[in-house]
Amino acid sequence: MSRLGTLWVCLVFGFMYLPIAMIALFSVNTSDVMAFPLTGVTGQWFAEILGDGRLGGGFLTTLAVAFPVALLTTLLGAAAALALSFYATRFRVLFAALLLLPFLVPRLILAVAQLILFKELGVSRSLLTVIAGQSVIILPFTTVIVASVLIRIDRRLIEAAADLGASGWSSFRRVVLPLMGNGLMAAWVIAFVLSSSEYVLTAFLSGRQQALSVLVASDFRFDLSPSLNALAVLIVLGNIALVVIAEAIRHRSGRLN
Amino acid sequence: MRPQSAGTWLALPVVAALGALCLAPLAILFAYSFFSVDFVTISHDPSLKNYARILQSETYRGLIARAFGSGLLVAAITAVIGYPVAWFLAKRAGAAKTMLLTLLLVPLYSGDLLRIFAWRVLLGAEGAINRSLIWLGAIDAPLQGLLFSPLATHIALTYNYLPFMVIGLWLAFESLDDAWLEAAADLGAPGRDRFRRVTLPLTAPGLIAGGLMVFVMVVGDYLTPQLLGGASGVTVISAINDLFGTAFDWPLGSAIAWTMLAILMLCFGAGAVLIRRSSLVAEGA
Amino acid sequence: MNRRDLLKTALAGTALGAFGPAFRADAATGILWMTWENLAKDDYLAPFLAANDIALTKTFIGTDDEQFAKLRAGGADSVDLITPGLDKVEYYTASDLLQPIDFARVPNAAKLYDTFKQTPLGKVDGQTYGIPFYWGINPIVYRADLMEAEPDWSVFFEGDAYNGKLAMRDYALEGIMIAAMYLGIPESEMFTMDDRQLAEVKKVLKIQKSKLRTYWNSIGDLTNLFATGEVVCAFSWVPPYYELRAKGIDMGMAKPKQGVIGWCDTIAVPKGVEGARLDAAFALVDYLLGPDYGKMLAVGGPYAQSTSAARDHLTEEQQDKIFIKDLSVMDSFVWKQNPPRYGDWVALWNEVKAS
Amino acid sequence: MAVAENTAAGRRTRPLLEAIALYKSYGSVQAVRGIDLALAHESYVTLLGPSGCGKTTLLRMVGGFEAIGSGTLMLDGARLDDLPANLRPINTVFQSYALFPHLTVLENVAFGLSYRSLPKDRIKARAREALATVRMEAMADRRPRQLSGGQQQRVALARAIANEPRLLLLDEPLSALDRRMRKDMQIELKDLQRRLGMTFLHVTHDQEEAFALSDRIVVMRDGRIEQQGAPGDIYARPATAYVADFIGGASCLPGRILGQVGKSYAIETALGRHVVPGVSGLSVGARAVLCLRSEKVALGETGTPAHVTHAVYRGADWLLECVAGGQIFQVTHVGPPPAPGETVRLSFDPDRVWIAREAA
């Protein structure tokens, strides 16, 4: 059973990395057409992408959006998860349904509707509108992640804290918060990644500054340059690095799960 | 501070954010769905005309049905593929668990568009798979149907949303106590029965949660069918996009969007009821 | 790095995000141009930016319609210049999003070709709101190495030699125009087809669908399809022809006798732009209609400007490439217009695709 | 603290904890239905009963983790009802220990002390003292998951007593320990309670544990108190058949009261008439049970004929199971046992059996 399971997991991971392997392959192929046969090895595309100032600017814009979005959605997601589990509000079911809503609405439609709303309110498009719009669709993800950590914290720890004299806030700060640390970290990373790869809402809600995802999509429209493959390889590697760092932190502080 | 009121206070900012940025825009769309459009002027006389049009149009009805069909199909496929993976991650992966979960998600960060083009390179007439099969002597001529077909669309959709199914199932397996399986074995249940009578019911919440996530995302995905599905790659979402963008018929677009939303909410409501029924975890103390 | 440091970094990032725009010292007039990426390459604009104290920001559009939806929903005044198609300008004017072009501030507009001077499109009550800016045709592009003869529109509707190897742009207006041309419906009736004509169009479009490998969505997408051999013949834009020939693929370009679709994009100034920003916007418009830009566009595009400003600076071969060697050819094009029943056209197109 | 000072004068005259007419229900399930209870100062009291009898709910209401349905709780004569858990001078040893996994042993123990306005070094010193009390000083810097079950138990205990609560609650604290460890801990707990002079309220389903520890046992059933008293009283003079059976597994023979003779009753059973002492207040004609404990029944030449069905060797003696008049009796027997199937005669000293009510 276990050997069969291992085989199956290997196959599935192989499937998941098949397109990534293609992207990596063509990021070092000399031809600028993404098609077989392969023509030779080059570092040209990586050089091109690293030397592209426009994409550099887009990258900074992406960071300027992704950092606040990740922070905001982690905080709100944590609040939502707490309201769903540890400090369950009376309107929990209604609240959960509301949280799922942004998840159900097709992105483009939500983007147009938000744009109409912003116009009615006299808010012009800027990074702030992008941050607001993205936060709403990423919120359900962070909530689920934090909640999945919270439901595994033993509720009796809170009782124990209260028993020993801790008030509600104090037991949150000294017991719940340290125990949900990993969940917050994971939520932050996921939110950061989702924000940086979001295209539809970003394209609709952004004003003067354009994030990397928008620039890449725009490049795609005219020219499928292999340097975009190189970019994707860098992004994937960057993400893996981010995750490895988070893991390392977790291990060093290592005490849970 | 009572825990309940603390919860309400915590929920408040979240509700405010969702209310302002999701509920309010959706309410606007809901209002639009009763309006009509004349060139670029939206007339504000409410009517049910748009909903009537959807009911009468074979195209829109067919597209909605097809979207839900695809959603169900991909949810089922990802469940079958993902189930053993989730089990392995939860019960056999040990210290590598977090790493493997992360590795499962990382490919999604490479971006939708690029991955779609990677699939083209894989599935194309001159693509990696056809070339390998010809080289192996399995086929003589390239299989045209691999790319620009519902097959291609569903392969890529399965790929895109498999990780979400695995995450949902993994959470369910994490809370599945091995002792229950041992107990079932002890009581004489053969392997297949143990699965059917213990594992499956106990992981059902994860299956339903993962299934709903996948279902919704498949229904909402228009890029994958458009770029990999060939001439039949039209989806209800791309039709709504057309109505919003190209035809400037926001009212009809809003009406279709709300029809879909209503059906989705019904599905989710039903799913939530199912999860509650199948959940063995008692609420409260 | 511990958790606290990470938090600090995150907070710093937030602050950067919130105040980032304010950090930029902004002495020059900043204007924002919403345009197609291939019209605003840095080297095309370098002479203009060097000569003027203007900071230009570009945002790129995906489709004409997306541009309209975005501006219609969110207002246009945060943008200083937009790039609608000539046939789409009336959408913007009907939505009251544009201000008329002040020709006194655009001297190069005097050199507009007659076709563009005379066109009723882009104008309301004699005032021009979208000034024709550059133009071209959408021909058939094909792999000459893989096709026996030069195709015309009938290749998309008849015979089965190329079944499953054809591509059509996923765009209702052009798709239906082509079907109408194939059916022999004259240009004068084309945009006002009645129900019977539309039913016939729908019938042939369904046949067409069965022959297609796929509908294409962006020109980069189509270029890739040609290069990989997935598609041998498509209703196309011009760029893949030159791009793939440069890579050594034997490409052909056909301009069917039944008619060729001509298109023209305009540049327009949204309502509400004023003062220094308006001055800068008109300065850019004038530059875009002038010889420096026209020459670079003709070589780099290759696309034709709507004025004759650069024509004399081009070789005959270059002129031929962008169809301005013989200007009379312009009259043979079927210029895109906005059909009054556009909603029905889009519905028809979706019905065909969903059939 | 306020609670203690207000009532310092009347400290010895009132019980430490009083529960008056406590009720609690979850939906349609009534977990606690009408409890009146008084806990004396410096006593060790056990709530004894099978799972689901409401003993844990009662404990949680005292601890402040569960709102009171109706009724009153008083500590030192002051109402506890609306005081949240963190303000009650009561601490708990949880069944699962509930040690904070992210804190060290010392930090766990110091957790409660940090809510007193004490200087840091004083907190540390007192936490160490508490650890010393349970002989866990050496483990101060470990984390809970690095400890064995018994060690975690001690830490939980140290954490709870470090605060010097007026009342210590123990929720089945020994249930996760093995038999030998449980015995040791029982002795330690009792010893600790005496040394500290605190009142312990201990919940358990294990009667042996209750006997080993308690000054007073409260037997609960279905959300009510079935009987309370000193262990010896409860054992020797159970009020009901339920108590007799739950404590020490007496065989209960149903019968009818024929009349009262001094403090004894005449009772008619399937095995004849007997005159034996019993619980007070039984009326003539009432149904009652005759409780016979295994060690109070003897095999002899005379008495009721019975059938031996099983014989279990217990080291010091044998436990025989016999059937007489359709009733099963357990008999403790020293010496070579009769073989199963043999017929024996059972006898008992009427002064050493007891009549209890059939039900409360």
Side-chain angles (χ1 to χ4, degrees):
Chain A
M1 185 66 181
S2 204
R3 194 178 301 169
L4 206 65
T6 312
L7 181 70
W8 184 253
V9 170
C10 287
L11 278 175
V12 169
F13 273 80
F15 175 63
M16 291 309 293
Y17 278 84
L18 202 57
I20 305 304
M22 286 299 128
I23 292 170
L25 196 61
F26 284 99
S27 72
V28 292
N29 185 36
T30 47
S31 163
D32 61 358
V33 177
M34 223 174 140
F36 290 101
L38 299 174
T39 48
V41 180
T42 177
Q44 171 193 357
W45 309 119
F46 283 93
E48 207 166 274
I49 209 75
L50 291 173
D52 191 331
R54 191 178 54 95
L55 292 180
F59 185 64
L60 286 181
T61 306
T62 294
L63 291 186
V65 171
F67 269 105
V69 165
L71 196 66
L72 204 63
T73 53
T74 303
L75 289 178
L76 287 176
L82 285 167
L84 283 174
S85 56
F86 259 85
Y87 304 103
T89 160
R90 230 165 311 162
F91 319 103
R92 197 164 73 150
V93 175
L94 207 66
F95 183 55
L98 180 65
L99 271 170
L100 277 173
L101 209 54
F103 198 57
L104 296 182
V105 188
R107 299 277 163 93
L108 180 116
I109 292 159
L110 190 62
V112 170
Q114 286 180 341
L115 208 51
I116 296 172
L117 180 77
F118 284 137
K119 186 193 174 191
E120 295 297 326
L121 295 176
V123 179
S124 59
R125 288 183 298 267
S126 68
L127 286 189
L128 291 178
T129 54
V130 178
I131 290 168
Q134 281 193 357
S135 296
V136 169
I137 55 163
I138 293 172
L139 187 56
F141 289 89
T142 53
T143 305
V144 166
I145 291 163
V146 178
S148 74
V149 172
L150 282 182
I151 55 173
R152 287 162 70 193
I153 297 180
D154 190 346
R155 228 157 252 268
R156 275 164 296 205
L157 295 179
I158 308 293
E159 288 180 356
D163 184 66
L164 296 167
S167 63
W169 163 248
S170 174
S171 81
F172 171 74
R173 190 176 58 80
R174 295 184 57 184
V175 179
V176 181
L177 198 59
L179 291 175
M180 71 196 277
N182 289 328
L184 293 179
M185 191 81 82
W188 195 89
V189 170
I190 295 271
F192 188 90
V193 165
L194 284 174
S195 164
S196 54
S197 62
E198 170 58 34
Y199 162 66
V200 176
L201 272 173
T202 315
F204 256 79
L205 297 175
S206 60
R208 278 162 197 264
Q209 283 159 297
Q210 308 212 36
L212 199 56
S213 61
V214 178
L215 293 174
V216 166
S218 162
D219 274 5
F220 253 102
R221 234 169 268 131
F222 287 94
D223 184 16
L224 300 173
S225 163
S227 55
L228 294 176
N229 290 324
L231 181 65
V233 170
L234 292 178
I235 290 174
V236 167
L237 289 178
N239 276 306
I240 291 180
L242 207 62
V243 169
V244 167
I245 290 169
E247 268 295 278
I249 294 171
R250 215 182 60 117
H251 266 271
R252 265 185 46 189
S253 70
R255 35 211 187 207
L256 275 175
N257 294 26
Chain B
M1 188 159 59
R2 292 248 153 213
Q4 275 219 336
S5 67
T8 308
W9 282 109
L10 280 166
L12 220 57
V14 181
V15 170
L18 287 172
L21 293 163
C22 186
L23 274 188
L26 284 178
I28 291 177
L29 282 188
F30 191 62
Y32 267 103
S33 73
F34 297 101
F35 297 158
S36 58
V37 69
D38 178 23
F39 193 48
V40 288
T41 319
I42 286 166
S43 107
H44 295 250
D45 298 326
S47 77
L48 287 169
K49 224 173 53 185
N50 294 313
Y51 289 100
R53 246 171 97 186
I54 298 166
L55 272 177
Q56 284 157 10
S57 159
E58 212 174 292
T59 305
Y60 295 130
R61 273 187 292 138
L63 285 177
I64 290 175
R66 200 195 291 175
F68 288 140
S70 272
L72 286 177
L73 180 66
V74 176
I77 297 172
T78 52
V80 171
I81 297 178
Y83 206 86
V85 179
W87 166 79
F88 187 89
L89 287 176
K91 302 295 182 193
R92 293 288 179 273
K97 186 188 291 180
T98 322
M99 207 60 207
L100 286 175
L101 272 169
T102 311
L103 281 178
L104 192 70
L105 284 168
V106 162
L108 299 185
Y109 309 155
S110 58
D112 297 347
L113 283 169
L114 214 57
R115 269 199 326 272
I116 286 172
F117 280 89
W119 279 115
R120 284 202 180 167
V121 173
L122 280 162
L123 300 173
E126 297 291 317
I129 290 174
N130 267 320
R131 275 167 179 266
S132 311
L133 288 176
I134 291 173
W135 182 76
L136 287 169
I139 51 172
D140 299 325
L143 300 170
Q144 292 285 335
L146 274 187
L147 183 59
F148 296 123
S149 63
L151 177 68
T153 305
H154 286 95
I155 290 175
L157 287 174
T158 301
Y159 176 93
N160 283 350
Y161 304 118
L162 179 63
F164 294 88
M165 174 62 90
V166 173
I167 298 282
L169 284 170
W170 168 71
L171 285 173
F173 270 112
E174 280 290 331
S175 51
L176 176 75
D177 195 333
D178 284 336
W180 294 329
L181 287 180
E182 283 159 15
D186 181 61
L187 295 169
R192 197 191 310 160
D193 273 23
R194 287 207 292 278
F195 175 76
R196 191 173 56 79
R197 294 177 58 188
V198 181
T199 312
L200 199 58
L202 287 174
T203 51
L207 203 59
I208 297 167
L212 284 174
M213 280 199 279
V214 172
F215 177 78
V216 166
M217 285 187 282
V218 168
V219 169
D221 188 335
Y222 67 98
L223 222 49
T224 307
Q226 193 174 59
L227 292 175
L228 294 176
S232 300
V234 63
T235 55
V236 65
I237 299 295
S238 68
I240 297 177
N241 283 359
D242 265 5
L243 287 167
F244 267 96
T246 316
F248 193 71
D249 196 343
W250 291 2
L252 182 59
S254 303
I256 302 179
W258 261 97
T259 306
M260 303 255 318
L261 201 57
I263 300 176
L264 281 173
M265 283 196 246
L266 277 178
C267 292
F268 253 75
V273 171
L274 280 177
I275 290 182
R276 188 166 285 198
R277 287 248 174 94
S278 61
S279 173
L280 289 181
V281 185
E283 305 246 332
Chain C
M1 187 156 90
N2 62 27
R3 202 171 281 162
R4 189 157 300 214
D5 290 336
L6 197 79
L7 191 70
K8 272 185 207 152
T9 318
L11 284 169
T14 311
L16 188 75
F19 303 112
F23 288 153
R24 219 177 3 193
D26 229 353
T29 307
I31 57 169
L32 179 64
W33 181 21
M34 186 179 272
T35 182
W36 296 92
E37 190 177 7
N38 60 340
L39 294 180
K41 293 186 183 162
D42 287 340
D43 48 340
Y44 291 5
L45 299 166
F48 172 74
L49 294 174
N52 295 279
D53 190 21
I54 290 171
L56 178 66
T57 312
K58 301 164 283 189
T59 83
F60 302 127
I61 53 187
T63 71
D64 225 349
D65 304 313
E66 181 194 302
Q67 177 178 232
F68 176 66
K70 189 174 172 180
L71 296 178
R72 171 70 209 242
D77 56 348
S78 60
V79 186
D80 301 294
L81 279 172
I82 62 172
T83 317
L86 185 58
D87 52 317
K88 294 285 176 206
V89 176
E90 59 176 319
Y91 270 22
Y92 295 83
T93 51
S95 306
D96 199 23
L97 289 170
L98 300 179
Q99 56 178 302
I101 301 291
D102 181 358
F103 278 93
R105 300 160 90 168
V106 190
N108 280 326
K111 296 176 200 149
L112 278 173
Y113 294 120
D114 285 347
T115 313
F116 300 122
K117 273 188 184 155
Q118 284 148 14
T119 180
L121 298 173
K123 293 179 186 148
V124 178
D125 299 333
Q127 293 260 47
T128 298
Y129 286 83
I131 187 164
F133 158 39
Y134 82 122
W135 62 279
I137 61 165
N138 290 342
I140 296 174
V141 171
Y142 61 100
R143 292 270 300 242
D145 53 339
L146 299 175
M147 277 189 95
E148 311 216 321
E150 180 175 308
D152 61 14
W153 294 130
S154 64
V155 74
F156 295 103
F157 300 95
E158 294 167 13
D160 31 63
Y162 301 105
N163 272 6
K165 290 185 173 304
L166 306 170
M168 177 61 64
R169 185 182 179 199
D170 185 5
Y171 193 43
L173 179 67
E174 290 171 330
I176 292 174
M177 280 173 74
I178 288 165
M181 288 189 285
Y182 164 71
L183 288 168
I185 296 169
E187 190 181 347
S188 56
E189 292 173 32
M190 194 179 287
F191 298 98
T192 54
M193 282 187 282
D194 57 25
D195 288 344
R196 189 190 51 77
Q197 286 168 313
L198 283 176
E200 214 165 320
V201 163
K202 187 173 172 182
K203 204 174 79 193
V204 296
L205 283 177
K206 279 188 178 171
I207 297 170
Q208 176 191 75
K209 187 197 163 200
S210 69
K211 299 181 182 303
L212 297 180
R213 182 83 167 129
T214 187
Y215 293 97
W216 59 268
N217 287 280
S218 70
I219 201 63
D221 179 11
L222 180 63
T223 309
N224 178 274
L225 289 171
F226 277 131
T228 53
E230 294 289 341
V231 162
V232 301
C233 172
F235 164 66
S236 176
W237 295 353
V238 174
Y241 171 76
Y242 292 108
E243 204 173 304
L244 293 172
R245 273 173 82 94
K247 284 180 188 147
I249 300 174
D250 185 10
M251 300 302 293
M253 176 159 62
K255 299 189 267 292
K257 281 189 285 296
Q258 297 112 313
V260 180
I261 296 178
W263 54 265
C264 175
D265 281 353
T266 70
I267 188 151
V269 184
K271 210 166 200 176
V273 177
E274 52 194 18
R277 275 167 61 202
L278 188 63
D279 296 340
F282 276 124
L284 180 58
V285 171
D286 194 48
Y287 173 77
L288 293 174
L289 297 177
D292 291 342
Y293 181 81
K295 201 173 156 192
M296 284 187 275
L297 189 65
V299 175
Y303 291 113
Q305 212 175 12
S306 58
T307 65
S308 56
R311 188 166 180 246
D312 297 338
H313 303 286
L314 299 170
T315 64
E316 284 214 347
E317 191 200 355
Q318 285 168 332
Q319 289 182 5
D320 193 38
K321 225 173 167 178
I322 56 175
F323 318 109
I324 57 169
K325 199 170 105 189
D326 172 16
L327 288 170
S328 67
V329 74
M330 274 189 179
D331 300 329
S332 71
F333 300 153
V334 181
W335 293 96
K336 282 204 273 188
Q337 292 177 35
N338 193 44
R341 295 174 63 185
Y342 190 43
D344 293 335
W345 282 37
V346 174
L348 185 152
W349 186 248
N350 272 330
E351 281 163 27
V352 169
K353 282 197 296 173
S355 65
Chain D
M1 291 294 95
V3 178
E5 275 159 20
N6 280 348
T7 58
R11 239 184 105 164
R12 292 288 154 181
T13 56
R14 300 193 67 127
L16 174 69
L17 180 85
E18 287 172 277
I20 302 156
L22 275 188
Y23 282 86
K24 175 77 186 178
S25 50
Y26 302 104
S28 59
V29 181
Q30 284 197 297
V32 168
R33 22 183 157 183
I35 297 263
D36 292 292
L37 185 67
L39 257 56
H41 291 272
E42 294 181 24
S43 62
Y44 202 122
V45 181
T46 305
L47 293 175
L48 180 64
S51 46
C53 72
K55 57 190 193 301
T56 295
T57 306
L58 177 59
L59 194 79
R60 289 173 60 82
M61 284 196 281
V62 175
F65 310 121
E66 209 73 74
I68 291 170
S70 71
T72 308
L73 269 177
M74 314 259 263
L75 188 77
D76 283 327
R79 288 185 68 139
L80 270 183
D81 312 11
D82 288 325
L83 213 55
N86 55 315
L87 300 181
R88 296 186 186 193
I90 297 175
N91 285 124
T92 308
V93 177
F94 291 85
Q95 184 176 6
S96 59
Y97 315 140
L99 296 177
F100 302 121
H102 58 299
L103 303 179
T104 62
V105 165
L106 188 68
E107 286 166 342
N108 261 285
V109 176
F111 192 96
L113 293 169
S114 67
Y115 293 102
R116 310 279 193 79
S117 23
L118 290 173
K120 273 198 172 161
D121 48 339
R122 187 75 201 100
I123 290 177
K124 262 199 172 163
R126 277 182 62 175
R128 283 195 186 281
E129 268 170 49
L131 277 177
T133 316
V134 296
R135 302 198 311 276
M136 286 291 293
E137 316 92 294
M139 303 288 182
D141 296 324
R142 301 262 182 105
R143 288 192 192 277
R145 58 157 42 166
Q146 295 168 300
L147 303 180
S148 72
Q151 291 171 327
Q152 291 187 23
Q153 219 285 323
R154 284 162 198 275
V155 175
L157 195 58
R159 187 174 71 173
I161 60 171
N163 261 3
E164 295 175 349
R166 307 277 296 123
L167 172 63
L168 185 74
L169 308 178
L170 301 105
D171 184 6
E172 309 230 6
L174 309 180
S175 61
L177 303 181
D178 63 42
R179 192 180 158 79
R180 162 122 209 128
M181 187 101 73
R182 201 152 59 209
K183 294 267 180 216
D184 292 350
M185 275 311 291
Q186 281 169 7
I187 293 166
E188 271 188 54
L189 274 177
K190 182 69 195 165
D191 185 48
L192 193 66
Q193 184 260 334
R194 269 199 213 109
R195 269 193 291 144
L196 296 173
M198 248 179 229
T199 297
F200 282 24
L201 180 59
H202 182 126
V203 158
T204 183
H205 60 268
D206 181 348
Q207 48 128 339
E208 234 179 276
E209 192 170 304
F211 281 134
L213 292 167
S214 314
D215 300 323
R216 192 173 178 82
I217 294 178
V218 179
V219 183
M220 288 189 63
R221 179 193 187 187
D222 288 343
R224 292 198 185 92
I225 293 178
E226 188 91 356
Q227 185 177 8
Q228 51 176 313
D233 276 352
I234 295 214
Y235 186 81
R237 291 183 282 280
T240 64
Y242 172 80
V243 175
D245 183 40
F246 192 76
I247 312 278
S251 312
C252 291
L253 197 56
R256 183 179 297 275
I257 302 293
L258 298 173
Q260 194 164 3
V261 185
K263 284 202 164 183
S264 299
Y265 297 96
I267 188 167
E268 166 92 71
T269 69
L271 299 182
R273 294 178 182 187
H274 305 277
V275 177
V276 291
V279 65
S280 63
L282 291 171
S283 52
V284 174
R287 297 193 61 80
V289 292
L290 189 61
C291 305
L292 294 148
R293 298 212 180 266
S294 64
E295 71 272 18
K296 312 240 159 112
V297 185
L299 301 187
E301 301 301 309
T302 58
T304 313
H307 225 61
V308 178
T309 50
H310 291 287
V312 178
Y313 184 53
R314 296 203 302 191
D317 52 20
W318 289 78
L319 186 68
L320 306 180
E321 202 174 274
C322 308
V323 177
Q327 200 68 36
I328 298 170
F329 293 90
Q330 287 183 332
V331 180
T332 311
H333 178 73
V334 184
E342 243 178 84
T343 302
V344 294
R345 283 178 175 274
L346 304 178
S347 63
F348 52 86
D349 177 351
D351 285 342
R352 305 193 66 187
V353 295
W354 179 258
I355 296 175
R357 288 190 189 87
E358 200 167 37

